[in-house]
Amino acid sequence: MLQRGTARRTFLQAGLCLCGCLAAGRAAGSAGLVEVAPGVLVRRGPDEEASAANGNGIANIGCIIGNDAVLVTDPGGSLADGQWLREEIRRRTQRPIRHVVVSHVHPDHCFGTGAFLDDAPEILGHHRLSAALAARGDYYQRQLVELLGDGAAGPVVLPTRAVGEDETVLDLGGRRIRLAAYATAHSDCDLVMLDEASGLLFPADLLFVGRVPSLDGSLSGWQAALGRLRATGAVRAVPGHGPTTVELGQAIGPLERYLAMLQDETRAALAAGRTMEEAIATVAMAERDHWALFDDYHGRNVTQAYKELEWE
Amino acid sequence: MGMNQNRRMACAGLVLAPLLAIAGPVLAAGGTDQEREERWQDLRQSIFGERPVEDGVGLITLEAPARALDAALVPLTIRIAPEQRDRVAAVHLVIDDNPSPYAARASFGPAGDPAVLRLRVRIDGYTNVHAVAETKDGRLFGTAAFVKASGGCSAPIGVSDEVAMQGMGEMKLRPGGPDTHGEATLLIRHPNFSGMQMNQLTRTYTPARYLDLVRISQGDQTVLELAGDISLASDPAIGFAYRPGEADAFTVLATDSDGGSWQESFPIPANTQ
């Protein structure tokens, strides 16, 4: 150790947002829940970074209502965002909230869970979500507290039910929901949900539409995951970021193109002996005009891609 | 000379360590220039004693991003002017406001070339980063860059400690590009736990475990000996330059603070010979 006595201080501040790590929420108020199919309500998250103004309500969140029960997914980006969602749900139905599905570990998707604890739902997540929240929850929470203040950030809530390799099927009363845990892609704990009644697929952040994707798992894994999304045969989907619903095949196209260019050009930079800095400045810049928040996330994506591919 | 020199370098590392137990107050993002200068003078004294650090213009440069894209992985490049290379024995990297500021010291052996050194580091807050060249006659020449970053030292590594530890000690050598001469990058898989990553389940910190020494040699000649610390990013990457030698392979020895030790050898890339 060059220097001893590292203080274990608490370091606040955010800086980097994985997927809008901190962006979101009160925009909730302005956006509102939209019924995108019978019994399926979605709030479109704005294409913004986390801020005190939006309360980290930047992801698409909502619920599915069955005859007997309500399923929430995602619960929101902060306690405040989750509370807003719960109020909106309660304005429409008094059926019990029995399930909260957390699509993955990023804060804009999971920090609203705390708003639903009084409903005593089962909280479902990928079988690796607990480990991911254990490793990152504290860090994310400190960033959120810094941005939103103590009360608004919300607790780190671990899932009570893990979705394993085998598909999990829920019944909301005349409405079956299928859940699948994907291999490492956008993150290492991406969960994909299908509502049989509406045919809507919920790929969460495996599908970014309009907002630049953020890579926090595996570039090649994400490309494979897009193939698996296609293979579901679903026609319409609720992306993690972007419009409330999209035509799945069409929406995958630009993301696939971005990831392929990121991969090809990072590989080419590595083959040419380019440094990480050179790669960051040059790779996939042709995509710049196609995505919101490109400058906020793209350089980081190149860094991730470079780190992954330099070991090939 | 090889063995003796290697031993001397290793010893120097041990002797240096206790000098660096500096726990000064870390400056907030809004620290004034004067506060930053005072901070640096404290650090300078702790690390180099009474030796002054002279203006390194014309001798050493530091390339760093003004704002880190990823505070846990900030790429830095330190260059020594070609005509000054033969004077330089070592390069020191200090990240002033990191909890453990003395991030790395690279000592160059007879097969080494101080022309370029690339490292990836964690940066915890808005801070000056100092690169200091030490000449063979013991003079110090410094340069600095201001970097805006936050939380790099406590940022989680991967998704779990278990995953972060996978393949620990694996290495890879990447040749430099066609427009470089005698450059390569050594990659080492290692989480380089900073001791500041907390596990939410157990409410405990993952103990610090980091690469403390990486020695790259050609035959019995040292290219580079890098003393590292918790400020090196996980999966450390060391971009370095070397002089053509008789040997046809690099040997690499890496050790960590937990007693881990890994050795590997790589053919010297043909296109850079």
Side-chain angles (χ1 to χ4, degrees):
Chain A
M1 188 167 200
L2 283 178
Q3 176 174 347
R4 295 194 173 277
T6 300
R8 281 173 177 161
R9 267 170 279 119
T10 311
F11 293 88
L12 315 170
Q13 303 142 337
L16 34 131
C17 297
L18 289 168
C19 151
C21 98
L22 293 193
R26 206 152 311 136
S30 58
L33 279 183
V34 175
E35 186 158 24
V36 297
V40 181
L41 305 170
V42 178
R43 185 282 309 274
R44 189 209 201 281
D47 293 334
E48 297 171 5
E49 285 278 49
S51 68
N54 62 32
N56 203 25
I58 55 169
N60 291 346
I61 62 175
C63 70
I64 301 174
I65 303 168
N67 290 333
D68 304 328
V70 179
L71 176 151
V72 171
T73 191
D74 271 317
S78 61
L79 182 63
D81 198 29
Q83 285 167 338
W84 171 85
L85 176 61
R86 191 175 181 285
E87 280 169 26
E88 291 296 309
I89 292 170
R90 279 290 166 256
R91 294 218 303 223
R92 292 161 170 86
T93 176
Q94 292 304 314
R95 289 173 201 167
I97 296 172
R98 294 231 172 96
H99 315 274
V100 172
V101 173
V102 179
S103 67
H104 64 296
V105 70
H106 291 155
D108 51 329
H109 296 264
C110 71
F111 268 89
T113 307
F116 298 92
L117 296 181
D118 287 347
D119 298 296
E122 64 170 6
I123 300 163
L124 294 106
H126 191 289
H127 56 89
R128 282 193 291 265
L129 178 64
S130 281
L133 280 170
R136 296 176 169 203
D138 178 69
Y139 178 76
Y140 287 156
Q141 189 182 41
R142 279 185 279 123
Q143 292 181 320
L144 265 184
V145 167
E146 177 77 359
L147 194 70
L148 307 179
D150 267 328
V156 175
V157 182
L158 298 177
T160 57
R161 182 173 174 188
V163 176
E165 303 293 344
D166 295 328
E167 196 178 56
T168 293
V169 182
L170 305 175
D171 190 346
L172 307 183
R175 184 161 209 156
R176 295 208 311 167
I177 306 291
R178 316 182 81 92
L179 297 162
Y182 272 41
T184 302
H186 161 69
S187 73
D188 89 318
C189 48
D190 300 310
L191 201 61
V192 175
M193 204 178 78
L194 179 75
D195 170 36
E196 286 187 349
S198 65
L200 277 173
L201 188 71
F202 290 73
D205 277 8
L206 290 173
L207 187 59
F208 279 71
V209 181
R211 180 189 178 111
V212 71
S214 75
L215 173 62
D216 185 32
S218 159
L219 180 51
S220 56
W222 199 343
Q223 291 170 309
L226 293 182
R228 189 171 168 189
L229 291 181
R230 275 214 174 88
T232 61
V235 176
R236 295 192 67 75
V238 177
H241 296 273
T244 51
T245 59
V246 294
E247 198 276 312
L248 180 64
Q250 257 176 29
I252 285 177
L255 176 57
E256 208 161 41
R257 186 194 64 216
Y258 174 86
L259 295 177
M261 188 177 288
L262 180 62
Q263 184 176 54
D264 292 349
E265 296 192 6
T266 303
R267 274 197 181 127
L270 281 162
R274 301 280 170 245
T275 63
M276 182 180 276
E277 298 95 309
E278 290 166 339
I280 288 168
T282 56
V283 164
M285 291 308 284
E287 288 287 315
R288 190 164 186 272
D289 294 338
H290 298 304
W291 302 94
L293 301 177
F294 184 88
D295 291 345
D296 296 297
Y297 291 91
H298 177 69
R300 196 185 152 84
N301 290 342
V302 178
T303 304
Q304 293 296 310
Y306 192 99
K307 266 189 65 144
E308 179 178 335
L309 299 174
E310 70 184 343
W311 284 90
E312 281 186 343
Chain B
M1 159 152 187
M3 282 304 288
N4 281 342
Q5 190 186 28
N6 286 348
R7 187 167 304 131
R8 206 170 58 238
M9 285 176 169
C11 287
L14 292 174
V15 172
L16 260 184
L19 289 178
L20 301 174
I22 320 148
V26 172
L27 298 175
T32 65
D33 287 352
Q34 191 192 333
E35 286 169 330
R36 294 191 189 286
E37 179 57 22
E38 285 167 11
R39 171 86 175 148
W40 166 239
Q41 290 306 330
D42 287 348
L43 291 166
R44 182 194 57 73
Q45 183 142 30
S46 308
I47 297 168
F48 304 112
E50 292 310 311
R51 284 191 285 169
V53 175
E54 302 171 50
D55 186 347
V57 69
L59 191 147
I60 185 169
T61 60
L62 169 64
E63 295 160 25
R67 181 180 288 278
L69 295 167
D70 179 348
L73 197 170
V74 183
L76 302 177
T77 302
I78 299 167
R79 294 182 199 277
I80 301 294
E83 65 279 10
Q84 303 282 347
R85 289 185 309 178
D86 293 340
R87 290 178 69 190
V88 172
V91 166
H92 307 258
L93 179 68
V94 183
I95 303 169
D96 295 16
D97 289 297
N98 264 11
S100 185
Y102 196 4
R105 180 192 59 239
S107 309
F108 304 96
D113 179 351
V116 63
L117 178 69
R118 300 178 202 279
L119 296 172
R120 301 175 189 170
V121 299
R122 299 175 170 136
I123 297 188
D124 220 65
Y126 288 26
T127 182
N128 276 323
V129 178
H130 281 89
V132 177
E134 181 169 0
T135 61
K136 289 172 180 166
D137 57 2
R139 289 172 70 185
L140 302 166
F141 296 90
T143 186
F146 188 68
V147 177
K148 293 177 178 176
S150 69
C153 292
S154 58
I157 299 167
V159 289
S160 65
D161 291 355
E162 208 171 281
V163 171
M165 302 269 285
Q166 277 170 11
M168 187 161 63
E170 276 176 31
M171 298 186 206
K172 179 169 180 171
L173 190 91
R174 295 193 66 87
D179 47 354
T180 65
H181 300 288
E183 288 184 27
T185 300
L186 175 69
L187 309 176
I188 305 176
R189 283 220 191 272
H190 196 291
N192 237 47
F193 290 122
S194 69
M196 296 168 61
Q197 285 104 12
M198 188 205 253
N199 187 296
Q200 184 83 29
L201 281 180
T202 59
R203 303 305 295 177
T204 57
Y205 291 89
T206 302
R209 181 173 184 176
Y210 53 91
L211 287 179
D212 54 7
L213 177 80
V214 179
R215 181 188 301 138
I216 305 168
S217 312
Q218 283 185 59
D220 63 355
Q221 291 199 317
T222 299
V223 174
L224 174 78
E225 189 168 289
L226 185 87
D229 196 83
I230 61 162
S231 291
L232 291 186
S234 59
D235 293 338
I238 304 164
F240 64 97
Y242 56 94
R243 297 175 200 273
E246 313 246 311
D248 54 6
F250 290 120
T251 55
V252 179
L253 170 70
T255 63
D256 77 8
S257 56
D258 229 32
S261 179
W262 300 273
Q263 213 157 348
E264 200 68 68
S265 71
F266 301 96
I268 293 179
N271 68 334
T272 57
Q273 281 281 11

